């Protein structure tokens, strides 16, 4: 696949339009703010990231990227939404962190910098691209042998259709309408298969439980809705 082909222009436009609200903890991205400490903890407890090279694929406005940097990692954040990257760079000046933000795809960076990173994270991106398998392949190339790769996404089940899409977007308005498309959601077994094809072995699969009104987020056994997966490149 050409590095520039795995982009959904409608998705890019949607996230460009949300750039101004990235750092509003009470806005339409409140859920990302609420689960961000859990995402960081999942990564940091499974792959110590202090003083390590970490890549955040699909970094958006930099929520997780800054959290990784605050934890001591040397972070690169990549995204294709220029407006989101502008927000990320601007907020970085306020926070005083040093993050290398780039407008590029994982596929293009994999060609330029194979085996560059100790850890690669890709959170809430797979369900927004035409070919998730291409992202898995690129992440497998970007991480060093023995390095760790982390994903967070939404399972394709009737429960996620009901709660993640219909209730959250259409009824409660917690998430902007049109953020998720049911057919693009990713089953864990699909993620495992794409990972194996990319030379990545599944280390852990954990469900993510989120209660929006209380801002409660925790790991759980059920992967029927949101889940995170830890994979590792063989040494």
């Amino acid at each position: 696949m050409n590095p520039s082909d795995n982009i959904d222009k409608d998705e890019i436009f949607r996230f460009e339009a949300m750039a101004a609200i990235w750092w509003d903890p009470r806005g339409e991205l409140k859920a990302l703010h609420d689960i961000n400490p859990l995402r960081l903890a999942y990564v940091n407890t499974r792959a110590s990231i202090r003083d390590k090279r970490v890549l955040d694929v699909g970094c958006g406005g930099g929520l997780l990227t800054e959290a990784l940097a605050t934890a001591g990692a040397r972070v690169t954040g990549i995204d294709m939404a220029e407006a989101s990257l502008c927000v990320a760079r601007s907020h970085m000046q306020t926070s005083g962190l040093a993050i290398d933000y780039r407008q590029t795809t994982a596929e293009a960076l994999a060609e330029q910098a194979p085996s560059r990173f100790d850890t690669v994270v890709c959170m809430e991106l797979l369900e927004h691209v035409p070919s998730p398998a291409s992202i898995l392949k690129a992440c497998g190339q970007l991480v060093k042998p023995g390095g760790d790769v982390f994903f967070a996404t939404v399972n394709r089940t009737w429960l996620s259709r009901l709660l993640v899409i219909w209730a959250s977007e259409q009824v409660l308005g917690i998430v902007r309408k049109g953020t998720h498309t049911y057919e693009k959601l990713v089953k864990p077994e699909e993620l495992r298969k794409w990972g194996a094809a990319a030379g990545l072995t599944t280390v852990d699969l954990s469900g993510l439980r989120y209660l929006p009104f209380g801002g409660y987020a925790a790991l759980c056994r059920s992967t029927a809705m949101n889940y995170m997966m830890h994979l590792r490149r063989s040494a």
Side-chain angles (χ1 to χ4, degrees), residues 58-113:
C59 64
L63 295 183
L64 181 58
T65 330
E66 288 204 6
L68 293 164
T70 300
R74 293 175 286 164
V75 189
T76 298
I78 63 172
D79 205 285
M80 285 302 292
E82 184 177 1
S84 297
L85 287 173
C86 287
V87 170
R89 293 188 180 108
S90 177
H91 197 273
M92 177 180 64
Q93 300 304 315
T94 302
S95 62
L97 297 169
I99 298 169
D100 179 15
Y101 285 113
R102 306 183 191 183
Q103 186 178 19
T104 186
T105 64
E107 292 87 347
L109 188 60
E111 290 185 356
Q112 301 163 9

Side-chain angles (χ1 to χ4, degrees), residues 97-130:
L97 297 169
I99 298 169
D100 179 15
Y101 285 113
R102 306 183 191 183
Q103 186 178 19
T104 186
T105 64
E107 292 87 347
L109 188 60
E111 290 185 356
Q112 301 163 9
S115 301
R116 174 69 61 84
F117 301 94
D118 299 290
T119 301
V120 175
V121 300
C122 180
M123 306 288 190
E124 287 79 44
L125 175 66
L126 296 181
E127 66 271 28
H128 300 293
V129 297

